[in-house]
Amino acid sequence: MTQPAAPGVGSAPAAPGVGSAPAAPAAPAAHSTSSALSPRAPEIAHAAPARKLSTGRRGPADPVKALMHRHRELCERAVDPLEIAAGLEAHGVTDRTAARYRHRDVFSLAEELFARVPGIPREPVAVLSAPARDIRTRAAWSLRALLPGAACLATLLTLRLTDGVLGGEARLAIGSGGALLAFVGLAVALRTGPLSTGGRATGAANLYGCWLLGYALYGEALLHQVLSGGPEGPWDITPAPLLGLAVAVGPAAWCAHLFSVHAHRKLNGSRALEEFAAGVRPLLFGAVALFLCAVTALLYLAGLGTGGGAPVGAAGLGVLLLLARLLTVHGFPEPAATGLAAACAVEAAAPALVLAGRLPGLHPLARPVDALVAAAGAGAVPAVACGAAALGLLTTATVALSRASAHTAA
């Protein structure tokens, strides 16, 4: 009775078999089932470090990782991928360089960097969320841009009303005070708004600008006296260029504003650096052409009111000053100062060559200036100086302001 029970207890799954012989294969089956559940589980869990080692070998296969570490500060402080794209371009990364990082352009590379690098938490800046505030801001800097023109116009009207009533010293004091007010108004207009440089303007550039404005006021009369054998005593002034240029500060601010706004829109809608550059160049040419039309009309009206001459030289000076200011605003003060210095050098060289030509044996030095003045008048000297410098700065601005990094200043 007890012997039959032993096989049943020891080999319940082996009911079809006879005796203990069929029980031998059952042991491996049970062992394979249990080994799939518990004996090999430690080996599977022990395979996790091998996956960590493989992830460590992915470093060389991830080319963006090195770039991410190199520009981590830029990526952490960026508020959007566009800022990263502009920063990469400023460091020399182009669309061709982005192809080495397995991206079609700098913008897609910047999007990956922006997604992979956590940004530094900062307070949200809501500047464009209040249209009324934006309108008030534009109105504020627009009114400030009118201050230089208003000061010059008030001074000229005062001098005209007091003509024959006040003496020479009093009129000189009025003129000097009006010029000082105009320069103060210009400083206020350039402190904020689209023409504000944020402290990037150099003292040399300001000095060159003062020289050019002074030559527009006194230069033609001085050159006439030098050519006629002088200078002898005080010379007349031509207030029309200064008046027209002072009033043109307002149109210059609006042209700079329109260029900046539309350039940012192009930056937001572009997907490649070449595409952005091709879209910004017409904007620059359009802004310069619009300002040229405005300043020419203002100079013509100023000449009608003051009896001034042709506004060609003053118009070239206005375009030169606008281009120099645009370059400085967008982070290129050195080429701006170079262009202004070149115009100053040509204007200073004209009377210097005439004076040097009076020395024995140096008569050929004065011939270029004599020929230029004889062909087109004394106003041709500032026209050539400022026009050539403006063309040089326009060429520089076409390259510099077509870069995305030139439009990311706060």
Side-chain angles (χ1 to χ4, degrees):
M1 296 295 294
T2 58
Q3 289 179 355
V9 174
S11 60
V18 179
S20 60
H31 181 268
S32 63
T33 304
S34 60
S35 64
L37 295 177
S38 59
R40 295 191 60 84
E43 300 178 12
I44 298 175
H46 188 65
R51 181 171 295 182
K52 288 184 179 180
L53 293 175
S54 65
T55 57
R57 291 193 296 267
R58 288 176 58 193
D62 186 9
V64 182
K65 191 173 182 180
L67 189 69
M68 180 177 63
H69 288 293
R70 191 181 310 154
H71 301 285
R72 175 169 291 275
E73 183 178 357
L74 169 66
C75 299
E76 289 177 345
R77 297 184 179 277
V79 296
D80 54 23
L82 293 177
E83 189 172 347
I84 297 179
L88 292 177
E89 186 202 29
H91 286 86
V93 179
T94 62
D95 290 338
R96 183 175 299 179
T97 309
R100 298 203 301 263
Y101 296 97
R102 302 174 184 175
H103 284 271
R104 65 181 182 274
D105 50 45
V106 176
F107 287 88
S108 63
L109 177 61
E111 288 177 351
E112 180 178 350
L113 291 175
F114 185 77
R116 293 177 63 173
V117 179
I120 299 176
R122 63 180 68 187
E123 296 182 359
V125 180
V127 178
L128 302 178
S129 61
R133 181 182 176 185
D134 189 53
I135 292 175
R136 288 195 298 268
T137 302
R138 293 180 183 179
W141 58 253
S142 298
L143 290 176
R144 286 192 289 268
L146 298 177
L147 291 178
C152 287
L153 186 59
T155 303
L156 290 176
L157 289 177
T158 303
L159 290 175
R160 177 162 295 184
L161 291 175
T162 58
D163 189 11
V165 178
L166 298 177
E169 294 182 357
R171 291 172 58 82
L172 179 60
I174 293 175
S176 302
L180 180 61
L181 286 177
F183 275 104
V184 171
L186 181 63
V188 172
L190 298 181
R191 186 174 297 273
T192 57
L195 297 178
S196 175
T197 62
R200 287 184 289 268
T202 61
N206 296 331
L207 182 61
Y208 299 147
C210 292
W211 166 275
L212 293 171
L213 292 175
Y215 192 92
L217 192 62
Y218 293 103
E220 293 187 22
L222 172 64
L223 188 58
H224 275 300
Q225 287 205 9
V226 171
L227 289 171
S228 61
E232 298 176 356
W235 51 85
D236 297 331
I237 64 173
T238 53
L242 192 61
L243 175 61
L245 292 174
V247 179
V249 175
W254 271 101
C255 289
H257 172 71
L258 292 176
F259 171 70
S260 178
V261 168
H262 288 284
H264 276 283
R265 291 178 182 175
K266 287 288 183 182
L267 184 62
N268 292 330
S270 300
R271 296 301 307 167
L273 297 179
E274 289 82 1
E275 178 186 354
F276 172 73
V280 167
R281 293 188 192 103
L283 295 178
L284 176 63
F285 297 149
V288 173
L290 180 61
F291 176 73
L292 179 60
C293 295
V295 72
T296 303
L298 291 173
L299 288 169
Y300 179 76
L301 294 176
L304 291 179
T306 60
V312 179
L317 174 58
V319 174
L320 173 63
L321 293 175
L322 174 66
L323 288 171
R325 201 69 185 181
L326 282 177
L327 286 170
T328 306
V329 167
H330 291 279
F332 302 94
E334 292 82 6
T338 302
L340 295 176
C344 292
V346 174
E347 290 183 347
L353 289 176
V354 174
L355 292 175
R358 298 176 183 176
L359 299 176
L362 298 181
H363 301 291
L365 293 178
R367 289 177 183 174
V369 181
D370 293 336
L372 183 61
V373 173
V381 172
V384 170
C386 297
L391 285 177
L393 283 190
L394 181 60
T395 304
T396 303
T398 302
V399 177
L401 301 185
S402 298
R403 303 176 61 183
S405 56
H407 302 274
T408 57

